[in-house]
Amino acid sequence: MTTHSLDACLQLVADPHRRRIIHHLRHEATGTTTVDELVEQFHRSGSDFKDGPPQDRESLAIQLHHVHLPKLADHDVVEYEHRSGSVRYRPDEQVETVLDSLPEEVSLPNP
């Protein structure tokens, strides 16, 4: 298990997309998913984002591939295989504690 500073944890979970990725993986029985599954989930619930609806599926996939998943992988919260699109959760107690301390409306946009 990796230990992050509080500031690093807050920056990591500041984005609603990353919070949703972590939430999705925490609640998957296997702790794994794919970029395609994340895109589908985000797209279905896109109107819940305060900044308006997300981009089309392709733009959303690009954003996940190039921004959010690499950032989570850099902090060892996920293992991300770019070629296959597979994402595996690496539980991080400090990140989970920060997420669990947030009010529900902040910690997880409504699915």
Side-chain angles (χ1 to χ4, degrees), residues 39-98:
V39 167
E40 180 61 29
Q41 180 194 21
F42 281 34
H43 197 266
R44 271 187 278 128
S45 59
S47 61
D48 296 331
F49 288 100
K50 293 178 183 171
D51 296 333
Q55 311 88 344
D56 58 63
R57 292 174 197 268
E58 183 179 344
S59 297
L60 189 54
I62 290 169
Q63 190 177 22
L64 292 174
H65 269 295
H66 295 288
V67 178
H68 301 299
L69 292 170
K71 186 165 188 104
L72 290 169
D74 287 347
H75 286 84
D76 294 324
V77 176
V78 300
E79 291 176 27
Y80 171 51
E81 175 54 49
H82 186 80
R83 287 181 188 244
S84 69
S86 68
V87 182
R88 177 177 298 280
Y89 185 53
R90 299 184 70 191
D92 184 290
E93 185 177 341
Q94 192 169 19
V95 170
E96 289 184 7
T97 299
V98 169

Side-chain angles (χ1 to χ4, degrees), residues 13 18 29 31-32 35 83:
V13 301
R18 290 192 293 271
T32 62
V35 173
R83 287 181 188 244

